[in-house]
Amino acid sequence: MDILHVDKYIDAFYDEAWWAQDMMALRGIAEEHYVPIIRPEMEGVLQSLLLTLQPRKILEIGTGIGFSATFMARLLPDAQITTLELIEKRYMEARTVFSKYGVEPQIELITGDASVSLLKLINKESFMKAKSPDDNIDNSDAYDFIFIDSAKSRYYEFFSMAYRMSKPGTVIVCDNVLLDGRTASDANIHNRRDKTSAKKMREFVAYVKTFTGARTSLLGIGDGVTVSTVL
Ligand SMILES: C[S@@+](CC[C@H](N)C(=O)[O-])C[C@H]1O[C@@H](n2cnc3c(N)ncnc32)[C@H](O)[C@@H]1O
């Protein structure tokens, strides 16, 4: 297969898709600030999942300048999104973006290390998963959709904490699990930092593969994505 032509063909699909045009200016702002954001193919995955699942309550780990949160909010005007960002400067940039794009009322933006913010959220609301369909447990606080796109070496930690705020049917999506090929092969690793992040990501992928609390698919789209459906 001619990968180069396949890639170009896919890129052109997203370059020319009408809904992608809508967010093009915001892609430009992210580039200006040197902030990585979801790739167009990932935008496509999110779009399909969100329009199908219609989640009301969304949690995002890794706001950046707010591209993906804005995308999700505009796609689902009835959804509420909580998004977590470590860096104060990005938090401020994201606030400006949310206000500019008119999605501020839908978004709760929390700054600080995600593990601290996640713990606060876990403690704030009561998240309990029913052990059987007969258990009369109110899990209405649980998130319907969780998007993890943050520190790549900490996916296990973020996933485990996010899982505590899920319920049966919640979908947890993790972006960049292939790390540009480094997760799959040492041949793509060129320095110590890459080696560490690849090791951590391999551990995370091995974990979700056998985790019985959710069914997970690994998709080779964009930079690789896991889609876990909580059981
Ligand atoms: C890839 S960017 C997010 C992009 C965003 N999802 C989008 O597509 O528009 C990852 C973000 O995670 C943030 N981040 C890294 N470590 C974090 C942590 N421990 N807690 C919260 N955010 C973190 C980074 O500052 C960065 O802005």
Side-chain angles (χ1 to χ4, degrees):
M1 185 166 52
D2 181 346
I3 297 288
L4 196 66
H5 282 94
V6 172
D7 282 350
K8 273 192 177 169
Y9 185 76
I10 293 172
D11 286 349
F13 175 88
Y14 289 104
D15 284 349
E16 292 155 16
W18 63 265
W19 48 265
Q21 307 304 313
D22 197 30
M23 297 293 289
M24 212 52 103
L26 197 45
R27 281 200 172 274
I29 295 175
E31 265 170 40
E32 250 172 57
H33 289 81
Y34 302 103
V35 179
I37 58 170
I38 49 167
R39 297 181 188 186
E41 302 97 294
M42 190 58 205
E43 205 179 302
V45 171
L46 282 182
Q47 171 173 260
S48 297
L49 285 174
L50 294 174
L51 288 178
T52 306
L53 297 167
Q54 296 284 324
R56 285 300 184 107
K57 197 171 165 184
I58 298 175
L59 173 65
E60 176 182 67
I61 306 174
T63 315
I65 57 128
F67 179 89
S68 47
T70 302
F71 180 70
M72 293 191 281
R74 295 184 90 188
L75 208 56
L76 300 173
D78 291 330
Q80 285 297 321
I81 302 171
T82 299
T83 181
L84 315 179
E85 173 56 46
L86 175 68
I87 299 173
E88 182 73 26
K89 188 167 171 277
R90 293 202 178 149
Y91 166 89
M92 298 307 289
E93 286 157 2
R95 275 185 57 169
T96 309
V97 165
F98 296 150
S99 146
K100 186 173 167 190
Y101 278 76
V103 292
E104 226 171 3
Q106 283 176 263
I107 297 180
E108 179 191 20
L109 174 56
I110 303 174
T111 185
D113 190 287
S115 60
V116 176
S117 308
L118 286 166
L119 202 58
K120 279 188 190 151
L121 288 171
I122 289 169
N123 290 331
K124 196 170 85 179
E125 304 176 61
S126 56
F127 294 105
M128 296 173 73
K129 254 200 279 324
K131 299 261 183 312
S132 87
D134 299 332
D135 285 352
N136 194 16
I137 285 176
D138 173 21
N139 56 11
S140 55
D141 285 340
Y143 291 95
D144 305 308
F145 190 87
I146 300 172
F147 180 46
I148 303 179
D149 183 23
S150 184
K152 309 303 166 197
S153 54
R154 294 177 63 186
Y155 271 21
Y156 168 76
E157 179 188 349
F158 295 154
F159 183 97
S160 311
M161 293 182 88
Y163 175 74
R164 291 172 64 185
M165 293 184 281
S166 71
K167 61 186 173 187
T170 296
V171 170
I172 308 177
V173 172
C174 299
D175 196 13
N176 306 106
V177 292
L178 293 180
L179 296 175
D180 286 318
R182 298 191 294 280
T183 309
S185 167
D186 283 347
N188 301 308
I189 294 176
H190 304 295
N191 57 49
R192 231 174 114 183
R193 197 164 157 250
D194 285 357
K195 197 172 172 181
T196 308
S197 58
K199 180 174 176 285
K200 293 274 187 186
M201 192 58 88
R202 285 172 194 171
E203 285 167 6
F204 170 68
V205 173
Y207 163 74
V208 285
K209 190 163 55 180
T210 54
F211 177 55
T212 54
R215 278 280 183 114
T216 298
S217 307
L218 170 57
L219 310 176
I221 299 173
D223 191 22
V225 50
T226 52
V227 180
S228 305
T229 308
V230 174
L231 301 173

